[in-house]
């Protein structure tokens, strides 16, 4: 990476990796699933930018009983097809999940040029312009899905941003994080968001005060990481302590942090091997349950799932603090 370049985020290029790989759960396809998977291919004509998405929609959702909506942002190099272990689970629990594909930082990075230039492409995709476009993708997709024929089945008053790695930064900006650039302030808060789920959130590159950036984030937030949640890309390193610093800097008092023992940064994608096969599967199960419990608490006031979660996963959880 060129030393002079400033970007919202550089560290996302590691986890990132293979964010669109799908775990072997195809046996479920033969069963009657409690949700639909709907591919949506939108274009934001104002920006001339495609915004593909996949909606996991509970079949129980109706106009009379609309369901909450999670809008998910992938890590660098991912796609709308990734993080199925979360989207399918949330939909089975009664939450619609809209998985975006950010075309300026999606899976095309892996194949759109010489393999020798891959590191440069990943770094270029983590620039300011793309970070801003990602938030505009989120807002555009939210507008489109709520105004579509599907919108009556979605509760626009209960919308949650979620994301992994670069996607966690996208969610933070949409949740109110502000960044100073060229004498001005970039502020893109999406007021319809009720809460945020932030998995492996990297620091904002080139900034010295995380507190100044993240103090405006006041909505309830769940932060998920691991003791070996380390980002390594050419020219950049971000230790697991950076994930903790993001949590500490968020200004809202309603925030929760879960730190798994061991693992890796890409363990939270659909890949099944990072962190070790056994731990990977355990962490995915625990993450599914924790995120659902968080959603039930902040959207419905039910804290029963949160109360015993730390005890049930004590063998793989290093730290669990906070309250929502």
């Amino acid at each position: 990476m060129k030393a002079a370049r400033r970007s919202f985020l550089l560290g996302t290029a590691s986890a990132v990796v293979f964010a669109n790989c799908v775990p072997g759960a195809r046996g479920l396809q033969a069963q009657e699933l409690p949700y639909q998977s709907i591919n949506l291919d939108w274009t934001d004509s104002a920006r001339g930018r495609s915004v593909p998405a996949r909606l996991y929609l509970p079949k129980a959702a109706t106009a009379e009983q609309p369901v909450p909506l999670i809008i998910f942002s992938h890590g660098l190099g991912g796609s709308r097809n990734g993080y199925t272990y979360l989207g399918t689970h949330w939909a089975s629990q009664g939450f619609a999940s809209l998985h975006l594909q950010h075309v300026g930082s999606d899976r095309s990075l892996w194949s759109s040029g010489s393999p020798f230039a891959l590191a440069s492409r990943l770094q270029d995709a983590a620039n300011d312009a793309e970070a801003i476009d990602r938030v505009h993708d989120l807002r555009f997709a939210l507008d489109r899905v709520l105004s579509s024929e599907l919108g009556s089945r979605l509760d626009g008053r209960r919308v949650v941003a979620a994301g992994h790695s670069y996607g966690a930064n996208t969610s933070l900006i949409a949740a109110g994080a502000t960044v100073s650039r060229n004498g001005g302030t970039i502020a893109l808060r999406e007021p319809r968001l009720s809460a945020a789920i932030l998995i492996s959130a990297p620091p904002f590159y080139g900034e010295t005060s995380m507190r100044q950036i993240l103090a405006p984030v006041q909505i309830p937030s769940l932060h998920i990481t691991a003791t070996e949640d380390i980002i390594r890309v050419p020219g950049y390193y971000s230790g697991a302590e950076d994930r903790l610093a993001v949590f500490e800097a968020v200004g809202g008092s309603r925030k929760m942090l879960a730190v798994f023992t061991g693992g890796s940064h890409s363990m939270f994608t659909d890949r099944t091997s990072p962190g070790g096969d056994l731990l990977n599967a355990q962490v995915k199960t625990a993450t599914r349950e924790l995120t659902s419990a968080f959603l039930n608490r902040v959207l419905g006031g039910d804290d029963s799932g949160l109360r015993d979660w730390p005890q049930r996963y004590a063998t793989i959880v290093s730290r669990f603090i906070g309250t929502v």
Side-chain angles (χ1 to χ4, degrees), residues 10-297:
L10 180 60
T12 49
S14 82
V16 241
V17 260
F18 309 110
N20 62 333
C21 294
V22 178
R26 290 184 176 85
L28 293 175
Q29 294 177 1
Q31 305 173 16
E32 180 65 23
L33 299 175
Y35 57 84
Q36 300 171 268
S37 298
I38 305 168
N39 283 344
L40 301 163
D41 295 289
W42 295 316
T43 299
D44 183 350
S45 57
R47 293 182 296 146
R49 179 175 166 109
S50 297
V51 185
R54 172 173 288 181
L55 177 65
Y56 297 93
L57 180 65
K59 290 180 179 177
T62 64
E64 292 72 30
Q65 292 186 310
V67 297
L69 174 64
I70 303 161
I71 187 161
F72 191 91
S73 178
H74 62 72
L76 193 60
S79 78
R80 66 182 175 183
N81 300 324
Y83 304 93
T84 59
Y85 79 98
L86 291 174
T88 56
H89 172 75
W90 289 334
S92 71
Q93 298 299 303
F95 305 100
S97 186
L98 183 65
H99 289 221
L100 306 182
Q101 182 165 330
H102 302 288
V103 297
S105 49
D106 65 359
R107 63 185 179 185
S108 65
L109 294 172
W110 307 114
S111 57
S112 61
S114 167
F116 300 105
L118 175 61
S120 177
R121 290 199 300 275
L122 293 172
Q123 292 166 354
D124 288 343
N127 60 37
D128 288 358
E130 174 60 16
I132 293 169
D133 264 330
R134 280 173 149 253
V135 184
H136 287 309
D137 290 345
L138 183 153
R139 180 168 293 145
F140 170 81
L142 188 54
D143 288 342
R144 284 297 299 266
V145 76
L146 291 179
S147 63
S148 73
E149 61 182 18
L150 297 167
S152 64
R153 301 165 66 183
L154 305 171
D155 189 346
R157 299 165 302 175
R158 294 185 293 167
V159 180
V160 176
H164 173 239
S165 198
Y166 200 174
N169 282 115
T170 302
S171 298
L172 280 166
I173 297 170
T178 60
V179 181
S180 296
R181 286 291 188 268
N182 302 318
T185 299
I186 297 171
L188 299 171
R189 186 178 73 86
E190 170 49 63
R192 289 171 289 188
L193 297 181
S194 301
I197 297 172
L198 309 163
I199 305 173
S200 301
F204 288 77
Y205 178 70
E207 300 297 326
T208 57
S209 174
M210 290 300 297
R211 179 66 181 175
Q212 182 177 344
I213 296 169
L214 295 174
V217 177
Q218 294 293 319
I219 59 176
S221 59
L222 170 63
H223 303 245
I224 301 174
T225 182
T227 58
E228 296 300 317
D229 189 351
I230 297 169
I231 301 171
R232 293 185 179 92
V233 291
Y236 183 83
Y237 173 89
S238 173
E241 66 276 7
D242 289 338
R243 267 36 94 220
L244 308 184
V246 168
F247 168 75
E248 295 292 345
V250 163
S253 59
R254 298 179 64 190
K255 58 183 180 180
M256 185 170 285
L257 169 70
V259 183
F260 291 104
T261 301
S264 75
H265 191 59
S266 56
M267 172 175 66
F268 297 105
T269 69
D270 273 340
R271 296 178 65 195
T272 58
S273 59
D277 292 351
L278 177 59
L279 179 63
N280 185 297
Q282 292 173 329
V283 166
K284 281 182 168 59
T285 297
T287 299
R288 285 190 287 255
E289 292 190 16
L290 177 58
T291 53
S292 292
F294 171 79
L295 292 167
N296 285 327
R297 175 67 183 91

